Amino acid sequence: MADEPDNSLNWPLDWSETGGPRSPRFGDVYYSLEDGLAESRTVFLAGCGLPDAWSDRKRFTVAELGFGTGLNIAALLHLWRQSRAGGRLHIFSIEGFPVSRLDAARALSAWPEIAEAAQALLDRWPPATPGFHRIDLPDWNATLDLAVGDAAWALDQWSGAADAWFLDGFSPALNPGMWSDAVLDGMAARSAPGARVATFTVAGTVRRGLAERGFQVDKRPGHGRKRERLEAVLPGEPPRHDGGRVAVIGAGIAGASLARALRAQGADPVVIADDTAMASGFPAALATPRLDVGDEDLARLFAQALERAGQLYGEAPDAIVARGVLRLEHGPRDSGRFDKVAGQAVWAPGAMTRVSAAEASGALGETVTGGGLMMQGALTVRPAAVLDAWLAGVRRVAGRAARLERRGAAWRVLDDAGDELAEAETVVLAAGWGAAALGMAGLQAVRGQAGWADLDAGPAVGAAWGGYAAPTGEGVLFGATHDRDDTDEALRDADDLRNLEALKAVLPDLAVRVASVQVHRHAAIRAATRDRLPVAGRLEEGLFILGGLGSRGFTAAPLLADHVASLITGAPSPLPRAAARRVAPDRESLGKR
């Protein structure tokens, strides 16, 4: 990624002058402490015709160049709550050099009248790690996607279409990169018909740049000491997206994630699954990223997925068993590979920490002979708690979807007997390996059997090495087998022995304790793909999929469900376009069976 800030570091503000916080990098103030809020309201909110512009809209998208201390967004949220009784607000903001939460809190404290909105941002202050970060603001019916990085890159990667633009970078004379042709091209390409633009600058290059890209540009009286400002509008009528009925096939982590994401976007999905599929067969699950040192886009995708999973699981009651998962060295190449992973810029500082054998043993509470990589943001979660939280209040239909049938603009979901389970304009396949029987090509069955034991003391955190050991709160879950093209869910004694031997090779003391008690067990069929990446996106008109999650379901499903829900509802996706292409159903690397 070009021109990004250095490995997640915040940029401190200069508070030495009384006029307002200043950027040491650009030598310009963020705003005046005397009338910064009034300036934001005049230049950006009123300049984009708010609140009138959103008065009859179910969904409204505001994009901003220059997040800064979050003042414009706090003022926007305050106005949105004051003027709207319903609807969804989507915000996309770009920041090349993020400020710390401490500096932002100091800056925003100057305006008590927007304190509630400011606190909502501060409570969820985004990390400074390069990439896209989603921040939910449910009490405001709003979602903020913050892109940390170069503005031209961020605009190229965003999939949304803005109804209003706040162009609030530092002045063109001090920060010309924010006002470049590439940035203006990206802004124009990401504007919905009828989009409004507001900015404090009246520089000729900006006026001409907007006009050359089809905007009607006007000078307006400025605010305070500034004589003039700009407003612009892109001709056309704003698009409308009415949505429709949505049916989700599957009630595992993919289906539950979709139900949560769709409801967050204002949809009312129905979930179709067997009664037995509306529960999890395992007492715990690891949420760990795929580690990739040769493909930065993939590393970034899983870093974003892990961040999103951590946010959402943290809000589900009793969902997190333990924070942190230790990836143990299990081969001659692991040490060097883990060193490279720990140095990747996609992770926040301290998120990936190399540990010695002694440190690994101390973290686990179990003796290990080698070192590893402590993944601080990885989690052990309770599947049942997650599914219960995300499926609570969702309409459900009990039955096995066996066939889809097109009827006009809608899909009929039929069971084995040909009876209709549901009819909807949109259907999402989220049934794991079951999606193959409903027409999704390119999936491969992978059978996995794992066991768990109740112990006085299990591992303190999760561990993974090819096999895994996860704390359950009452003991340990361990396994799992990994048998491709095997769809037999019958339990096998031989697989219990395989899992116990794998545990004994890495955590021998724990294996001895497990062998002395009763072991419970369960087998399930995962769906994987040839390139080991999930599948998330549109298959054809009105038909979508979230699948192929393999062993990363609890890591990838929450973020990818947000993406699929956005495609269905017409909302901006949280995924950069490069990541969306890597998981798209029509990607070349997916292959066909």
Side-chain angles (χ1 to χ4, degrees), residues 6-389:
D6 181 29
N7 197 26
S8 314
L9 298 179
N10 291 114
W11 288 77
L13 302 188
D14 179 1
W15 293 92
S16 62
E17 299 183 21
T18 58
R22 180 177 294 273
S23 165
R25 180 181 181 86
F26 294 103
D28 200 359
V29 294
Y30 281 85
Y31 45 75
S32 166
L33 284 178
E34 181 180 345
D35 64 353
L37 178 58
E39 181 181 57
S40 180
R41 286 171 166 167
T42 299
V43 175
F44 298 110
L45 302 185
C48 284
L50 303 177
D52 293 344
W54 62 40
S55 61
D56 62 343
R57 302 284 297 278
K58 292 182 179 180
R59 193 180 308 280
F60 197 84
T61 300
V62 175
E64 176 187 49
L65 271 62
F67 180 71
T69 63
L71 173 59
N72 290 338
I73 303 308
L76 174 70
L77 290 171
H78 181 77
L79 180 63
W80 175 258
R81 175 175 280 184
Q82 280 189 322
S83 64
R84 288 303 305 265
R88 295 287 311 176
L89 176 65
H90 299 267
I91 307 164
F92 178 68
S93 188
I94 301 171
E95 180 56 58
F97 305 95
V99 304
S100 70
R101 182 189 180 281
L102 188 63
D103 272 335
R106 180 176 177 182
L108 293 172
S109 67
W111 298 287
E113 63 189 284
I114 60 168
E116 191 175 358
Q119 193 60 50
L121 289 178
L122 293 169
D123 287 345
R124 300 165 177 81
W125 196 250
T129 315
F132 279 30
H133 306 276
R134 171 150 286 193
I135 296 97
D136 296 312
L137 298 161
D139 293 340
W140 306 79
N141 285 333
T143 300
L144 166 64
D145 287 315
L146 178 69
V148 176
D150 174 70
W153 168 83
L155 290 169
D156 178 68
Q157 291 298 306
W158 187 46
S159 63
D163 300 299
W165 287 93
F166 299 168
L167 305 188
D168 195 23
F170 293 117
S171 73
L174 296 173
N175 186 18
M178 183 67 89
W179 308 89
S180 68
D181 285 341
V183 169
L184 293 177
D185 285 343
M187 191 204 82
R190 301 288 173 259
S191 293
R196 303 281 295 268
V197 178
T199 182
F200 60 87
T201 183
V202 292
T205 55
V206 177
R207 296 199 315 272
R208 291 188 296 272
L210 291 172
E212 289 167 359
R213 289 160 178 84
F215 290 89
Q216 297 172 353
V217 184
D218 291 300
K219 291 182 181 180
R220 300 294 187 197
H223 179 80
R225 301 177 185 177
K226 191 146 184 72
R227 200 158 52 98
E228 294 175 311
R229 58 185 173 87
L230 284 187
E231 292 182 10
V233 63
L234 187 66
E237 287 296 319
R240 306 286 175 171
H241 189 94
D242 295 328
R245 294 165 296 178
V246 182
V248 176
I249 300 176
I253 186 56
S257 295
L258 282 162
R260 186 214 62 79
L262 286 163
R263 295 176 84 193
Q265 293 295 348
D268 182 23
V270 59
V271 171
I272 303 168
D274 288 334
D275 287 334
T276 55
M278 291 185 177
S280 172
F282 296 103
L286 294 181
T288 59
R290 172 173 164 174
L291 304 179
D292 201 309
V293 295
D295 190 324
E296 186 171 324
D297 283 340
L298 283 188
R300 194 179 304 281
L301 168 62
F302 280 94
Q304 184 184 3
L306 184 64
E307 178 185 309
R308 185 63 172 153
Q311 291 172 348
L312 294 173
Y313 294 147
E315 296 168 1
D318 200 35
I320 296 178
V321 179
R323 295 182 181 273
V325 174
L326 188 62
R327 186 65 184 264
L328 297 172
E329 295 176 9
H330 195 56
R333 297 182 179 179
D334 280 348
S335 180
R337 180 166 169 261
F338 289 172
D339 287 340
K340 292 178 181 178
V341 169
Q344 286 179 309
V346 302
W347 311 108
M352 294 286 172
T353 307
R354 293 290 275 119
V355 294
S356 66
E359 290 169 326
S361 299
L364 278 172
E366 300 286 343
T367 301
V368 294
T369 57
L373 182 71
M374 175 55 78
M375 304 180 288
Q376 300 287 359
L379 301 167
T380 305
V381 299
R382 291 184 178 88
V386 175
L387 302 191
D388 287 348

